[in-house]
Amino acid sequence: GEETSIGQNRTTETKQQIYNAIYQYKKGNYEKSELILLNLKKNLGKSDTLNLISVNNLLGVIYKNFGNYPKAILYYSENLKLIHPYTPDKTKKLAKTYNNLGNIFLLNGQYSKAVEYFKEAIHLILNSPFSVVEKDKLTVEKYYNSAIVYYNMKDYKNALNCYQKSLNIKQRYGLHGIDKVYFNFARTYEQIKDYKQAEYYFQKSLLQKNNPNLARIYKFYGSFLLKQKKYKQAKTNLLKAKNLYEKKYGFRHPYTANSYVYFGNYFSAISKPDSALYWYQKSLIADTKQFNSENIRNNPSGNNCFSKLQLLKSLKMKAQVLNNLATKQKKPIFFLLSLHTSDAALRLINAIRNDYISADNKLIITEIEKQCYSTAVEASFELFNKTNNKLYLYKSYRYVYLSKASLLNNN
């Protein structure tokens, strides 16, 4: 994550304001923290380099949380100018800025830039006069962040190498986050189809004491087991994930909604589309503030949801399982409901694209859009076959045309 430590030799008043900004940030009051820092920045002299660097770092973190990556990059880049000319006493400040820039480019899907900044930070620290212990503790998270970048680049060999370096340091000093490294080992081995090692590291991550990420691990482990067709074990782990999310976040939260989708996927995998549909409908309710309908004919709008992206994922799965249900029960009404749900998902995609979205999310949305069009084409064509209503044939061709147009536009 971003680094926000406070430098020394500050006036008491400035120091207090920065502490107050950090306190507001940690409470989730990002706008209040932003206001404190912007006012402080106006009043700081240009020669007050250490204070300005710290304020810029904090503002960068806040704008990252707002999803305003260009503005975060602006403040971090200003720090590079403030640190110039580089002197050895600025090593930590410069490494910190490189790390924060790396995180922003990682979130924005600019992986080659991200990995270069992490490399720069690591190189700077390893070639500094710091002790071995200090070097280890300053590089541990940068190795971890580098591994995440390599994973996203599908460079799994380098990802495993960086995770191992991070793990070695964490184990040497008893640092927190070992469970996360094991978990990411598991996901990486799953990608390279070394399922035995993936299973081993999923188990290791679950055995860590005081693990704050248990719900997430149970969810992904359950999904892994589902792909291995170990249905009984998969259900056990997905149920544990669902219960933990409900306990921690309540019944209306995007994380809870996501756990319902995963639980629905279990029922879909064991050919129980009616049960899967129940959980996908529950996920729509969980991701919205006021939508309460368990009637599968109804879908929420994207206006009052917690996460548009999560709502989109839920709508996509609901549309797909309605097609399956129509085929299984030979009831065309389910194809019609699927069509309505796909249309709702496609409208939501247009709304999401009007917002600022990261490069990673753009890729996710493009893939979901492709799947939604495919589901809509299937539903409309089946409706034409069953009703001989040419309106549905026209719809089918229109979805094919829109899908191709969207693909060309996104490329």
Side-chain angles (χ1 to χ4, degrees):
E2 285 78 11
E3 299 173 31
T4 57
S5 63
I6 296 178
Q8 296 176 357
N9 303 320
R10 297 201 173 114
T11 64
T12 304
E13 185 182 351
T14 301
K15 194 173 181 180
Q16 187 57 48
Q17 285 184 68
I18 291 177
Y19 273 121
N20 188 24
I22 293 173
Y23 172 75
Q24 295 298 338
Y25 168 81
K26 287 181 176 178
K27 281 184 67 180
N29 298 328
Y30 298 148
E31 291 180 356
K32 193 173 284 188
S33 180
E34 176 197 18
L35 187 61
I36 293 168
L37 292 165
L38 288 174
N39 286 333
L40 182 58
K41 187 175 169 68
K42 281 181 187 176
N43 296 323
L44 287 173
K46 290 184 179 180
S47 61
D48 200 350
T49 308
L50 289 177
N51 286 340
L52 283 169
I53 290 170
S54 292
V55 169
N56 284 340
N57 266 333
L58 284 163
L59 283 168
V61 173
I62 288 167
Y63 289 121
K64 185 270 292 184
N65 282 293
F66 284 157
N68 191 339
Y69 301 144
K71 206 160 187 180
I73 290 169
L74 189 71
Y75 282 104
Y76 292 144
S77 297
E78 187 182 322
N79 274 359
L80 294 180
K81 293 176 185 176
L82 289 168
I83 291 166
H84 183 79
Y86 169 73
T87 51
D89 63 306
K90 296 177 182 175
T91 297
K92 288 184 183 179
K93 293 286 184 187
L94 185 55
K96 205 176 291 180
T97 301
Y98 282 151
N99 182 72
N100 289 347
L101 279 165
N103 273 316
I104 290 294
F105 286 118
L106 165 60
L107 288 167
N108 206 32
Q110 296 171 270
Y111 301 131
S112 56
K113 282 188 177 182
V115 81
E116 286 307 312
Y117 276 113
F118 290 136
K119 279 182 180 177
E120 287 284 351
I122 292 167
H123 176 78
L124 194 66
I125 293 163
L126 292 181
N127 288 280
S128 71
F130 301 144
S131 68
V132 172
V133 174
E134 196 166 10
K135 285 179 181 179
D136 281 347
K137 291 185 177 181
L138 286 170
T139 56
V140 61
E141 290 307 320
K142 294 163 186 64
Y143 282 128
Y144 181 80
N145 291 339
S146 298
I148 293 172
V149 178
Y150 284 125
Y151 178 90
N152 282 293
M153 293 171 75
K154 301 188 189 318
D155 184 350
Y156 300 122
K157 183 179 178 181
N158 271 321
L160 290 170
N161 182 43
C162 287
Y163 280 134
Q164 189 62 57
K165 287 179 179 178
S166 176
L167 179 63
N168 290 343
I169 296 170
K170 286 175 183 287
Q171 288 178 326
R172 192 177 302 142
Y173 303 105
L175 302 178
H176 75 280
I178 289 175
D179 60 293
K180 288 200 296 184
V181 182
Y182 285 148
F183 171 64
N184 282 294
F185 264 131
R187 295 190 68 197
T188 308
Y189 278 116
E190 183 182 359
Q191 290 300 318
I192 60 175
K193 295 180 168 55
D194 188 340
Y195 301 128
K196 187 177 179 181
Q197 282 291 85
E199 171 76 27
Y200 172 76
Y201 280 108
F202 271 125
Q203 292 285 355
K204 289 269 285 184
S205 64
L206 287 170
L207 289 172
Q208 296 301 299
K209 293 179 180 178
N210 303 316
N211 190 337
N213 302 300
L214 267 181
R216 190 163 184 256
I217 297 169
Y218 279 131
K219 184 179 72 175
F220 279 95
Y221 184 38
S223 183
F224 167 76
L225 291 166
L226 202 56
K227 292 170 191 171
Q228 305 300 305
K229 298 185 178 179
K230 297 178 180 178
Y231 298 123
K232 188 176 180 181
Q233 289 173 266
K235 183 181 181 182
T236 300
N237 282 277
L238 291 170
L239 186 59
K240 285 179 180 178
K242 181 185 78 69
N243 292 341
L244 283 170
Y245 279 119
E246 287 174 343
K247 184 178 179 181
K248 185 172 182 179
Y249 297 104
F251 294 96
R252 286 190 183 268
H253 193 280
Y255 290 169
T256 307
N258 187 253
S259 74
Y260 291 165
V261 169
Y262 273 74
F263 204 51
N265 293 346
Y266 160 75
F267 288 106
S268 188
I270 62 170
S271 301
K272 289 189 175 181
D274 49 346
S275 296
L277 183 58
Y278 169 81
W279 286 104
Y280 295 147
Q281 189 70 18
K282 288 269 286 183
S283 73
L284 295 175
I285 295 169
D287 191 41
T288 51
K289 297 172 184 176
Q290 295 176 328
F291 180 74
N292 295 300
S293 179
E294 293 187 3
N295 188 330
I296 60 170
R297 293 173 180 270
N298 299 325
N299 294 309
S301 71
N303 297 330
N304 289 305
C305 65
F306 298 110
S307 166
K308 287 180 181 176
L309 185 57
Q310 178 53 54
L311 190 65
L312 179 59
K313 291 175 181 177
S314 301
L315 288 168
K316 178 201 77 169
M317 296 309 299
K318 178 182 174 181
Q320 288 178 353
V321 83
L322 280 164
N323 274 4
N324 295 339
L325 201 57
T327 303
K328 185 177 181 180
Q329 296 189 5
K330 296 182 172 54
K331 292 181 178 178
I333 182 64
F334 291 125
F335 282 125
L336 187 60
L337 293 177
S338 173
L339 205 56
H340 291 163
T341 304
S342 291
D343 283 338
L346 292 167
R347 286 195 299 272
L348 185 57
I349 286 170
N350 290 331
I352 292 172
R353 283 188 171 139
N354 289 330
D355 298 334
Y356 180 84
I357 50 174
S358 69
D360 257 4
N361 283 347
K362 284 177 185 175
L363 291 173
I364 292 168
I365 289 164
T366 299
E367 182 58 32
I368 291 174
E369 183 179 44
K370 186 169 72 174
Q371 293 169 0
C372 286
Y373 276 126
S374 176
T375 303
V377 168
E378 180 189 349
S380 53
F381 195 71
E382 287 293 335
L383 282 166
F384 168 70
N385 284 337
K386 290 179 178 12
T387 65
N388 207 30
N389 185 336
K390 289 187 178 180
L391 172 65
Y392 294 119
L393 184 62
Y394 165 76
K395 277 181 169 286
S396 179
Y397 288 141
R398 185 171 178 273
Y399 287 127
V400 171
Y401 169 77
L402 290 172
S403 177
K404 288 180 179 178
S406 178
L407 183 64
L408 287 170
N409 184 53
N410 288 322
N411 285 340

Short mmCIF file of all heavy atoms in Angstrom, two decimals, residues 166-197:
data_model
loop_
_atom_site.label_atom_id
_atom_site.label_comp_id
_atom_site.label_asym_id
_atom_site.label_seq_id
_atom_site.Cartn_x
_atom_site.Cartn_y
_atom_site.Cartn_z
N SER A 166 9.34 -11.75 -0.63
CA SER A 166 8.50 -11.10 0.38
C SER A 166 8.25 -12.02 1.56
O SER A 166 8.35 -11.62 2.73
CB SER A 166 7.18 -10.67 -0.26
OG SER A 166 6.31 -10.12 0.69
N LEU A 167 7.93 -13.29 1.26
CA LEU A 167 7.66 -14.27 2.32
C LEU A 167 8.88 -14.50 3.20
O LEU A 167 8.76 -14.56 4.44
CB LEU A 167 7.21 -15.60 1.69
CG LEU A 167 6.90 -16.74 2.67
CD1 LEU A 167 5.74 -16.38 3.58
CD2 LEU A 167 6.60 -18.03 1.92
N ASN A 168 10.06 -14.61 2.59
CA ASN A 168 11.30 -14.85 3.36
C ASN A 168 11.52 -13.76 4.39
O ASN A 168 11.88 -14.02 5.55
CB ASN A 168 12.50 -14.92 2.42
CG ASN A 168 12.49 -16.16 1.55
OD1 ASN A 168 11.78 -17.13 1.83
ND2 ASN A 168 13.27 -16.16 0.49
N ILE A 169 11.31 -12.51 3.99
CA ILE A 169 11.51 -11.37 4.90
C ILE A 169 10.44 -11.37 6.00
O ILE A 169 10.74 -11.18 7.18
CB ILE A 169 11.49 -10.04 4.12
CG1 ILE A 169 12.67 -9.98 3.14
CG2 ILE A 169 11.55 -8.86 5.09
CD1 ILE A 169 12.60 -8.82 2.16
N LYS A 170 9.19 -11.60 5.61
CA LYS A 170 8.10 -11.61 6.60
C LYS A 170 8.33 -12.69 7.65
O LYS A 170 8.09 -12.48 8.85
CB LYS A 170 6.75 -11.82 5.90
CG LYS A 170 6.24 -10.59 5.15
CD LYS A 170 4.97 -10.88 4.39
CE LYS A 170 4.49 -9.69 3.58
NZ LYS A 170 3.93 -8.59 4.37
N GLN A 171 8.78 -13.86 7.22
CA GLN A 171 9.03 -14.96 8.16
C GLN A 171 10.24 -14.66 9.05
O GLN A 171 10.24 -14.99 10.23
CB GLN A 171 9.25 -16.26 7.39
CG GLN A 171 7.97 -16.82 6.77
CD GLN A 171 8.21 -18.08 5.98
OE1 GLN A 171 9.25 -18.25 5.34
NE2 GLN A 171 7.23 -18.99 5.97
N ARG A 172 11.26 -14.02 8.48
CA ARG A 172 12.49 -13.72 9.22
C ARG A 172 12.22 -12.80 10.41
O ARG A 172 12.80 -12.96 11.48
CB ARG A 172 13.50 -13.08 8.27
CG ARG A 172 14.93 -12.97 8.83
CD ARG A 172 15.85 -12.39 7.78
NE ARG A 172 15.84 -13.22 6.57
CZ ARG A 172 15.89 -12.74 5.33
NH1 ARG A 172 15.92 -11.43 5.12
NH2 ARG A 172 15.88 -13.55 4.30
N TYR A 173 11.30 -11.84 10.22
CA TYR A 173 11.06 -10.85 11.28
C TYR A 173 9.67 -10.97 11.91
O TYR A 173 9.28 -10.13 12.72
CB TYR A 173 11.24 -9.43 10.71
CG TYR A 173 12.61 -9.22 10.10
CD1 TYR A 173 12.77 -9.19 8.73
CD2 TYR A 173 13.74 -9.07 10.90
CE1 TYR A 173 14.02 -9.00 8.14
CE2 TYR A 173 15.00 -8.89 10.34
CZ TYR A 173 15.13 -8.85 8.96
OH TYR A 173 16.37 -8.68 8.40
N GLY A 174 8.94 -11.99 11.53
CA GLY A 174 7.59 -12.18 12.09
C GLY A 174 6.64 -11.06 11.71
O GLY A 174 5.81 -10.63 12.51
N LEU A 175 6.75 -10.58 10.48
CA LEU A 175 5.90 -9.48 10.03
C LEU A 175 4.51 -9.98 9.65
O LEU A 175 4.33 -11.15 9.32
CB LEU A 175 6.54 -8.79 8.82
CG LEU A 175 7.95 -8.23 9.03
CD1 LEU A 175 8.48 -7.63 7.73
CD2 LEU A 175 7.95 -7.16 10.13
N HIS A 176 3.52 -9.10 9.67
CA HIS A 176 2.15 -9.47 9.34
C HIS A 176 2.02 -9.67 7.82
O HIS A 176 2.86 -9.20 7.05
CB HIS A 176 1.16 -8.40 9.81
CG HIS A 176 1.17 -7.17 8.97
ND1 HIS A 176 2.12 -6.19 9.11
CD2 HIS A 176 0.35 -6.78 7.96
CE1 HIS A 176 1.88 -5.23 8.24
NE2 HIS A 176 0.82 -5.56 7.52
N GLY A 177 0.97 -10.33 7.41
CA GLY A 177 0.68 -10.48 5.99
C GLY A 177 1.16 -11.77 5.37
O GLY A 177 1.08 -11.93 4.14
N ILE A 178 1.64 -12.72 6.19
CA ILE A 178 2.10 -14.00 5.65
C ILE A 178 0.93 -14.74 5.00
O ILE A 178 1.08 -15.39 3.96
CB ILE A 178 2.76 -14.85 6.76
CG1 ILE A 178 4.11 -14.22 7.13
CG2 ILE A 178 2.96 -16.30 6.31
CD1 ILE A 178 4.81 -14.89 8.30
N ASP A 179 -0.25 -14.62 5.61
CA ASP A 179 -1.44 -15.28 5.05
C ASP A 179 -1.73 -14.81 3.63
O ASP A 179 -2.13 -15.60 2.76
CB ASP A 179 -2.66 -15.02 5.95
CG ASP A 179 -2.97 -13.53 6.09
OD1 ASP A 179 -2.15 -12.82 6.69
OD2 ASP A 179 -4.02 -13.08 5.59
N LYS A 180 -1.52 -13.50 3.38
CA LYS A 180 -1.79 -12.96 2.04
C LYS A 180 -0.80 -13.50 1.02
O LYS A 180 -1.16 -13.75 -0.14
CB LYS A 180 -1.72 -11.42 2.06
CG LYS A 180 -2.90 -10.77 2.76
CD LYS A 180 -3.06 -9.32 2.35
CE LYS A 180 -1.89 -8.46 2.75
NZ LYS A 180 -2.11 -7.03 2.43
N VAL A 181 0.45 -13.70 1.43
CA VAL A 181 1.46 -14.25 0.52
C VAL A 181 1.10 -15.70 0.17
O VAL A 181 1.13 -16.09 -1.00
CB VAL A 181 2.88 -14.17 1.11
CG1 VAL A 181 3.90 -14.71 0.11
CG2 VAL A 181 3.24 -12.75 1.49
N TYR A 182 0.73 -16.48 1.18
CA TYR A 182 0.33 -17.87 0.92
C TYR A 182 -0.87 -17.92 -0.03
O TYR A 182 -0.93 -18.73 -0.95
CB TYR A 182 -0.05 -18.57 2.23
CG TYR A 182 1.12 -18.96 3.11
CD1 TYR A 182 1.01 -18.98 4.51
CD2 TYR A 182 2.34 -19.33 2.57
CE1 TYR A 182 2.07 -19.35 5.32
CE2 TYR A 182 3.41 -19.69 3.38
CZ TYR A 182 3.27 -19.70 4.75
OH TYR A 182 4.33 -20.07 5.54
N PHE A 183 -1.83 -17.03 0.22
CA PHE A 183 -3.03 -16.96 -0.60
C PHE A 183 -2.68 -16.66 -2.06
O PHE A 183 -3.19 -17.28 -3.00
CB PHE A 183 -3.98 -15.90 -0.04
CG PHE A 183 -5.16 -15.58 -0.91
CD1 PHE A 183 -6.12 -16.53 -1.18
CD2 PHE A 183 -5.31 -14.31 -1.45
CE1 PHE A 183 -7.22 -16.23 -1.98
CE2 PHE A 183 -6.40 -14.01 -2.26
CZ PHE A 183 -7.35 -14.97 -2.52
N ASN A 184 -1.76 -15.71 -2.25
CA ASN A 184 -1.38 -15.35 -3.61
C ASN A 184 -0.50 -16.41 -4.27
O ASN A 184 -0.54 -16.57 -5.49
CB ASN A 184 -0.69 -13.98 -3.61
CG ASN A 184 -1.69 -12.85 -3.52
OD1 ASN A 184 -2.48 -12.63 -4.41
ND2 ASN A 184 -1.68 -12.13 -2.40
N PHE A 185 0.27 -17.14 -3.46
CA PHE A 185 0.96 -18.32 -3.99
C PHE A 185 -0.07 -19.29 -4.56
O PHE A 185 0.09 -19.82 -5.67
CB PHE A 185 1.75 -19.03 -2.87
CG PHE A 185 3.20 -18.65 -2.79
CD1 PHE A 185 3.77 -18.29 -1.59
CD2 PHE A 185 4.01 -18.68 -3.93
CE1 PHE A 185 5.12 -17.95 -1.50
CE2 PHE A 185 5.35 -18.34 -3.86
CZ PHE A 185 5.92 -17.97 -2.65
N ALA A 186 -1.13 -19.53 -3.79
CA ALA A 186 -2.17 -20.48 -4.21
C ALA A 186 -2.80 -20.05 -5.53
O ALA A 186 -2.96 -20.86 -6.45
CB ALA A 186 -3.24 -20.58 -3.13
N ARG A 187 -3.14 -18.78 -5.64
CA ARG A 187 -3.79 -18.29 -6.87
C ARG A 187 -2.84 -18.36 -8.06
O ARG A 187 -3.25 -18.63 -9.19
CB ARG A 187 -4.27 -16.86 -6.66
CG ARG A 187 -5.38 -16.75 -5.61
CD ARG A 187 -5.99 -15.38 -5.62
NE ARG A 187 -6.72 -15.14 -6.84
CZ ARG A 187 -7.08 -13.92 -7.26
NH1 ARG A 187 -6.75 -12.85 -6.55
NH2 ARG A 187 -7.75 -13.76 -8.37
N THR A 188 -1.54 -18.11 -7.81
CA THR A 188 -0.55 -18.16 -8.91
C THR A 188 -0.36 -19.60 -9.38
O THR A 188 -0.33 -19.87 -10.59
CB THR A 188 0.79 -17.55 -8.46
OG1 THR A 188 0.56 -16.25 -7.91
CG2 THR A 188 1.74 -17.43 -9.63
N TYR A 189 -0.24 -20.53 -8.43
CA TYR A 189 -0.09 -21.94 -8.81
C TYR A 189 -1.34 -22.45 -9.52
O TYR A 189 -1.25 -23.30 -10.42
CB TYR A 189 0.24 -22.79 -7.59
CG TYR A 189 1.70 -22.76 -7.21
CD1 TYR A 189 2.13 -22.22 -5.98
CD2 TYR A 189 2.67 -23.25 -8.09
CE1 TYR A 189 3.47 -22.17 -5.65
CE2 TYR A 189 4.02 -23.19 -7.76
CZ TYR A 189 4.41 -22.66 -6.54
OH TYR A 189 5.75 -22.61 -6.23
N GLU A 190 -2.49 -21.92 -9.14
CA GLU A 190 -3.72 -22.30 -9.84
C GLU A 190 -3.66 -21.87 -11.30
O GLU A 190 -4.07 -22.62 -12.19
CB GLU A 190 -4.94 -21.66 -9.16
CG GLU A 190 -6.26 -22.06 -9.79
CD GLU A 190 -7.47 -21.40 -9.14
OE1 GLU A 190 -7.29 -20.64 -8.17
OE2 GLU A 190 -8.59 -21.64 -9.62
N GLN A 191 -3.11 -20.69 -11.55
CA GLN A 191 -3.01 -20.18 -12.92
C GLN A 191 -2.08 -21.02 -13.79
O GLN A 191 -2.32 -21.18 -14.99
CB GLN A 191 -2.53 -18.72 -12.91
CG GLN A 191 -3.53 -17.73 -12.37
CD GLN A 191 -4.82 -17.70 -13.16
OE1 GLN A 191 -4.83 -17.74 -14.38
NE2 GLN A 191 -5.94 -17.66 -12.45
N ILE A 192 -1.02 -21.57 -13.18
CA ILE A 192 -0.09 -22.38 -13.98
C ILE A 192 -0.47 -23.87 -13.91
O ILE A 192 0.31 -24.74 -14.28
CB ILE A 192 1.38 -22.16 -13.56
CG1 ILE A 192 1.61 -22.53 -12.09
CG2 ILE A 192 1.79 -20.73 -13.82
CD1 ILE A 192 3.07 -22.45 -11.66
N LYS A 193 -1.69 -24.12 -13.37
CA LYS A 193 -2.27 -25.47 -13.31
C LYS A 193 -1.47 -26.46 -12.46
O LYS A 193 -1.51 -27.67 -12.69
CB LYS A 193 -2.47 -26.02 -14.74
CG LYS A 193 -3.48 -25.23 -15.56
CD LYS A 193 -3.65 -25.79 -16.94
CE LYS A 193 -4.86 -25.18 -17.65
NZ LYS A 193 -4.84 -23.72 -17.71
N ASP A 194 -0.75 -25.92 -11.48
CA ASP A 194 -0.10 -26.79 -10.49
C ASP A 194 -1.06 -26.87 -9.31
O ASP A 194 -0.91 -26.21 -8.29
CB ASP A 194 1.25 -26.20 -10.07
CG ASP A 194 2.06 -27.16 -9.19
OD1 ASP A 194 1.45 -28.09 -8.61
OD2 ASP A 194 3.28 -26.97 -9.08
N TYR A 195 -2.09 -27.71 -9.47
CA TYR A 195 -3.18 -27.74 -8.51
C TYR A 195 -2.77 -28.29 -7.15
O TYR A 195 -3.35 -27.91 -6.12
CB TYR A 195 -4.36 -28.52 -9.10
CG TYR A 195 -4.88 -27.93 -10.38
CD1 TYR A 195 -5.03 -28.70 -11.53
CD2 TYR A 195 -5.19 -26.57 -10.47
CE1 TYR A 195 -5.49 -28.14 -12.72
CE2 TYR A 195 -5.65 -26.00 -11.64
CZ TYR A 195 -5.80 -26.80 -12.77
OH TYR A 195 -6.24 -26.23 -13.93
N LYS A 196 -1.78 -29.16 -7.14
CA LYS A 196 -1.31 -29.71 -5.86
C LYS A 196 -0.70 -28.60 -5.00
O LYS A 196 -0.98 -28.51 -3.80
CB LYS A 196 -0.28 -30.81 -6.12
CG LYS A 196 0.15 -31.57 -4.87
CD LYS A 196 1.11 -32.70 -5.20
CE LYS A 196 1.54 -33.43 -3.93
NZ LYS A 196 2.50 -34.53 -4.24
N GLN A 197 0.13 -27.76 -5.61
CA GLN A 197 0.75 -26.64 -4.89
C GLN A 197 -0.30 -25.59 -4.52
O GLN A 197 -0.24 -25.00 -3.44
CB GLN A 197 1.86 -26.00 -5.73
CG GLN A 197 3.15 -26.79 -5.75
CD GLN A 197 3.86 -26.76 -4.40
OE1 GLN A 197 3.56 -27.57 -3.51
NE2 GLN A 197 4.77 -25.83 -4.22
#
